[in-house]
Each structure stands twice: as C-alpha cells, then as structure tokens.
Amino acid sequence: MSKNFYLTTTLPYVNADPHLGAAYEFVTADIVARHRRLVGDSVFFNTGVDEHGQKVYTKALEAKQDPQKYTDEYAERFRKLKDTLNLSYDNFIRTTDENHKKAAQEFWKQSLANGDIYKKLYKTKYCVNCELERTDSELVDGCCPEHPDKELEITEEENYFFKFSNYGDKLLKLYKEKPDLVIPDFRFNEIIKFVERGLEDFSISRLKSKMPWGVEVPDDDEHVMYVWFDALVNYISAIGWPEDLDKFKTWWPVTQFAGKDQVRQQAAMWQAMLMSVELPPSEQIVIHGFITIDGAKMSKSVGNVINPEDIVKEYGVDALRYYLARHIHPFEDSDFGMEKFKEAYNANLANGIGNLTARIMKLAETHLDKPVELPDNTIPQEFKDLLDNFEVSKVCDLVWEHIGDLDGYIQTEKPFNVIKEDKEKGIEIIKNITIKLYTIAQMLEPILPETSEKIKEAVKANKMPETLFERK
C-alpha cells in the first residue's frame, strides 16, 4: 500500500565548498527517496543550505563580502550538486528564503505564547564551529571535543532562552513510545543518557549589534535568532507550515538524515521545540558517521578535503555514488582514499557489473533474434527490507552478491560453448542470464540510476551498450 514519505537531509553551512561528507548524506538520502518512489510511495525529498550564524558571518567578513552576496554564491555551489551527484530532491530550501524566515518568526511567536521563551543575562563558553554552547563537563582539556584546535569564545550578554529544561520527562516518554525514533540504537542510547542527565535551557538569540546576520526576533529589533533555532524550522517551513497546513499535514512527520555531531540538535532540541508549538515529533532520525581521508579528519587547513565534483569528472557520477553507498558504513565512521576508490572502481564496476553486462549482451545480441520477454518486478524482498531500514551498504553487498552469482552461473553453464552444440538449450541459458541481468539493473536503479538505465535500455533493445565503466 502506497503512502506519503517525507525525508530531508540536514542543511550544510555555506562557509565552505561541498565535501564528501555532505555528498554522502545527499546520496544516501537520494537512494532511499528513489527506492520509496519505486515501491509506489509519494515522496517529498528536501535539502538545502543553512546560511545564518556566526560562522557564516565571520567567513563573509573575511571575504570582504556582504553576507547575502556571500551566501548566494555558496548556495549556488550546493545547488549544483543536484546535477553533479544526480540527486532527485523535490525542494532546495535556503534559510534566507522569505517564507522560511516568516515561518521561523511564527514558530518563535507560538513558542513564546506557550511560555517556553524568556530573557536573561548569561555567560557561556561557545564553539563557533559547532555553533553550540559547551558546558564544562563536555570539554576535553578545556576545548570543544569536536574542534580541539579552535579556541572557545566566552560570551556574556542578555539573550532569549528556550525552556529546554521543561522537556526532559516529555522527551524520555517520547523515546519510550518511539523505540525506533533514532537509528542506530547506539546513537539513540547516547541521546537518552544525555536527556537523563538533566537538560539546561539554551540561548536562542544573539545581540544584533554583535552579530547581525540572522532572522530577526519578532518584536525585538535588538536580537536575531540563534542559528540552530532558525535552521531546524526548515523541516516544517519546507512543506508549507504555517501558511499551507493542508500541505504540511500531507507530508509531516519527517524522516531526517544527519551526522553524528547533530544527535543532540535533531533528537532532543528539535523534538522539544516541536512539542513547544504542539506539533508531532519527527518520524525517524537516521544518524551517520564521519568520513576520514586516509585515516585523518577532513580539514581545509590540512588540505585533505576532497571535492566530489573532481571525482565525478574523472570517474563519473555512478562511480562516486557506488563507493559512497557500498564502502562508507551507514552508521559508523569510514575512511576514504583515492587508491581504495580506484581499486573498488576497477574490481566492482569496470571488471564487475561492466564486464558482466558486456558478456551477456554480446551473447544476446549475437544469438537472440529479438529482445527477451521481461517478467514483472523481480526485485527480492530482502533488498526492499534492507533499504526500508536504511542499510545502504548491505543493499549494495546484496546486489554485488547477485552479480557474483550470475557471473559464476555463466562460468558453470558456459552458454558460449553450449550454443554451438545445442542451440535451443544455449538460447534458453542466454535468455535466462539476460533476464537476471535486467533484475540486477532494477536493483541498481536507486543506487546507480544512470548505469541501471543503460543496462535496461540495452536489454530491451537486445543491443550491446557502450562500455559502462572504463578501466582506470
């Protein structure tokens, strides 16, 4: 039975060019979106960019640019990923969009009216790179655990606060009622323990005189919204809230993809904010790990950041999609290196599906007088179940298991020899392996859409396709 399915990535900051980490999140979300469309669901796939906050404002000043002009340029670089990575998203939201800013302000008003926003003078240690306040218990040797090389800012000013402390018991009740809210389990356990330790109210505004780049706080022109409070609202503003509630109700709740550094924001802060304005919680929050480069964390200062566009130019979009989907663990940290990438490309794409397709379609074109009759969808249920559980790398392993089995079947049955001795039997084997190849192409459709289409077109036309993947 078909249903409505809404999923979103997080919105990357526009303070640097797109990197492999963002590409991974976009591609895995895209694979799930394509899969859900193929099984008959109506899908709304949201992504975009987060443009406000201290980090972006500082970068704009360093570049001697107006913040809006700066974010316009970077937003366009992220928008181009739709073509670079062959993404199928339905909406690209910018947090500088007028309808989003209005939604964030309305969200603020409703939370304020419900008694969850107040003003106070406070002093805190703040990590600009995380755009998060850090308590002493979180610090490692006096530094942010995520950015130990960056000095914390000591902030002392009067800000608005959100009554996060009101929502500890309600969040724990939610977690109990929705035991699959956060995937994987060990990330869910992290956030449960975080909430059980007790919640502190968090600042949701900044003085405009110090940091003017943000959504203005309603009825107070001296403050702008804290970047996280503004950005999280995109998940509902993207589907019409608060102006088009029919559209909102059609799609909500959402399945969210996010990195492991955002568990607190997505699974606790955002869920409490939704409770504050009396909206239902998210459907699921899927947390992935980080990508390291040859064993080291990606860093612009180190110079080991890889631009996905460079890989696509040399190897093609499906090669990058393949590697991210199969060789990057969906939930744990994973390492990326160009030597490993090239090795996997040659072994599993050029010599794997590429070589298999060429062998089968050469036999079919030579010995079949017309295209094979194709059965209805023959994708195994296991494939669908794995993708429903966001096990993207296991799905790829399953596909390549089928590729290996088919290759082994050809080696055993030797249709190229049988056809010479028993034409009828040889033709039946060739028809069989061609149909199996088509099933593999169907499974590849959400993962490698271009490759899938080329194989399916070749089978339907009974023609050899162009080389799918040139050896490198």
Side-chain angles (χ1 to χ4, degrees):
M1 182 179 173
S2 65
K3 58 183 179 181
N4 294 334
F5 181 71
Y6 172 33
L7 82 163
T8 183
T9 68
T10 48
L11 306 189
Y13 282 124
V14 290
N15 66 322
D17 284 326
H19 57 69
L20 277 182
Y24 174 75
E25 189 171 306
F26 293 159
V27 167
T28 50
D30 184 68
I31 289 169
V32 172
R34 288 176 182 271
H35 159 65
R36 297 301 287 257
R37 293 190 194 103
L38 288 170
V39 299
D41 290 344
S42 296
V43 172
F44 189 89
F45 175 16
N46 177 60
T47 188
V49 285
D50 185 356
E51 301 181 49
H52 292 127
Q54 183 70 54
K55 189 157 52 171
V56 173
Y57 182 63
T58 300
K59 285 289 182 182
L61 293 182
E62 288 174 2
K64 295 181 171 57
Q65 281 188 307
D66 172 74
Q68 187 64 63
K69 185 174 185 298
Y70 175 87
T71 54
D72 286 347
E73 290 178 7
Y74 272 93
E76 192 55 35
R77 297 181 197 183
F78 278 90
R79 196 189 296 272
K80 286 179 180 177
L81 287 179
K82 183 165 194 178
D83 293 329
T84 303
L85 301 174
N86 195 7
L87 304 175
S88 64
Y89 60 73
D90 302 287
N91 188 62
F92 185 92
I93 192 168
R94 299 178 57 184
T95 54
T96 54
D97 291 341
E98 283 304 315
N99 67 313
H100 169 74
K101 289 193 280 188
K102 288 178 182 176
Q105 290 172 327
E106 178 59 26
F107 194 101
W108 179 289
K109 289 177 185 176
Q110 291 193 22
S111 185
L112 178 67
N114 289 337
D116 283 330
I117 294 176
Y118 66 98
K119 210 175 190 181
K120 76 169 182 179
L121 185 68
Y122 85 119
K123 183 176 182 179
T124 189
K125 294 169 182 174
Y126 187 74
C127 175
V128 173
N129 284 67
C130 288
E131 296 280 13
L132 278 178
E133 298 161 12
R134 291 296 185 184
T135 62
D136 288 338
S137 63
E138 291 178 301
L139 302 181
V140 178
D141 296 327
C143 299
C144 168
E146 297 294 339
H147 302 96
D149 58 330
K150 304 293 182 182
E151 192 172 335
L152 292 168
E153 284 193 1
I154 307 300
T155 303
E156 184 171 15
E157 60 187 42
E158 188 176 47
N159 285 168
Y160 286 94
F161 276 72
F162 176 75
K163 287 186 180 178
F164 199 28
S165 57
N166 278 0
Y167 288 94
D169 290 342
K170 293 175 184 176
L171 285 169
L172 293 174
K173 182 172 181 287
L174 168 66
Y175 300 157
K176 189 173 182 180
E177 291 172 350
K178 284 180 72 74
D180 60 348
L181 175 67
V182 179
I183 297 172
D185 287 346
F186 67 89
R187 296 294 178 206
F188 203 1
N189 290 335
E190 280 179 21
I191 199 62
I192 291 170
K193 288 175 183 174
F194 170 78
V195 174
E196 285 177 340
R197 287 195 295 269
L199 301 178
E200 295 183 10
D201 298 348
F202 60 86
S203 167
I204 57 171
S205 76
R206 297 292 180 266
L207 279 174
K208 200 172 180 180
S209 58
K210 292 183 179 179
M211 206 289 292
W213 185 236
V215 178
E216 291 188 353
V217 168
D219 305 316
D220 189 340
D221 58 9
E222 292 185 358
H223 287 259
V224 295
M225 291 184 197
Y226 166 54
V227 61
W228 275 104
F229 194 93
D230 142 36
L232 289 165
V233 176
N234 97 86
Y235 299 143
I236 56 175
S237 68
I239 51 170
W241 190 92
E243 294 181 343
D244 189 347
L245 292 181
D246 286 339
K247 181 180 179 182
F248 172 74
K249 289 172 185 175
T250 296
W251 295 111
W252 192 259
V254 66
T255 295
Q256 302 170 213
F257 284 75
K260 70 175 187 180
D261 57 339
Q262 295 194 23
V263 182
R264 184 203 310 188
Q265 297 92 313
Q266 308 294 341
M269 291 164 63
W270 173 230
Q271 303 312 311
M273 288 165 60
L274 287 167
M275 291 174 184
S276 176
V277 297
E278 299 172 4
L279 290 177
S282 299
E283 182 66 26
Q284 281 191 307
I285 304 163
V286 184
I287 303 293
H288 60 81
F290 288 158
I291 296 178
T292 57
I293 304 296
D294 293 320
K297 187 175 180 180
M298 277 190 284
S299 166
K300 284 179 292 180
S301 58
V302 174
N304 65 348
V305 175
I306 296 176
N307 189 325
E309 191 172 347
D310 296 337
I311 298 175
V312 170
K313 282 178 181 176
E314 183 174 355
Y315 290 90
V317 59
D318 275 2
L320 179 57
R321 286 177 67 102
Y322 161 77
Y323 194 90
L324 292 175
R326 190 178 186 197
H327 295 282
I328 302 300
H329 194 282
F331 310 124
E332 305 273 7
D333 289 356
S334 300
D335 194 57
F336 182 97
M338 284 309 301
E339 280 303 311
K340 287 186 283 190
F341 177 90
K342 185 176 178 180
E343 182 182 332
Y345 171 90
N346 284 323
N348 299 310
L349 297 179
N351 294 344
I353 185 61
N355 188 46
L356 180 69
T357 300
R359 292 173 70 195
I360 291 174
M361 292 317 301
K362 178 64 175 174
L363 285 167
E365 185 178 10
T366 303
H367 298 291
L368 303 183
D369 56 7
K370 63 180 181 179
V372 295
E373 289 187 21
L374 296 168
D376 291 335
N377 195 317
T378 54
I379 295 175
Q381 186 61 41
E382 183 184 1
F383 177 93
K384 299 171 185 176
D385 292 343
L386 285 170
L387 268 184
D388 285 345
N389 289 310
F390 313 105
E391 294 277 9
V392 175
S393 62
K394 288 183 180 179
V395 161
C396 293
D397 288 343
L398 179 65
V399 176
W400 261 263
E401 185 181 311
H402 278 253
I403 290 169
D405 288 348
L406 183 51
D407 193 51
Y409 177 81
I410 293 169
Q411 298 290 357
T412 301
E413 295 298 322
K414 296 182 171 55
F416 34 82
N417 290 335
V418 173
I419 196 81
K420 298 171 187 174
E421 300 164 5
D422 186 338
K423 186 175 180 182
E424 188 175 333
K425 183 179 179 183
I427 285 174
E428 282 306 308
I429 294 173
I430 292 168
K431 284 182 178 179
N432 185 32
I433 61 176
T434 305
I435 290 169
K436 287 180 181 292
L437 177 65
Y438 191 83
T439 297
I440 289 170
Q442 287 181 309
M443 287 193 282
L444 284 174
E445 188 169 343
I447 307 161
L448 311 183
E450 283 187 2
T451 303
S452 168
E453 189 59 28
K454 287 174 183 176
I455 297 172
K456 287 194 286 188
E457 285 178 358
V459 171
K460 289 175 180 176
N462 201 41
K463 295 285 186 183
M464 271 276 289
E466 293 181 8
T467 302
L468 297 179
F469 298 97
E470 298 278 2
R471 271 194 65 83
K472 299 287 185 179

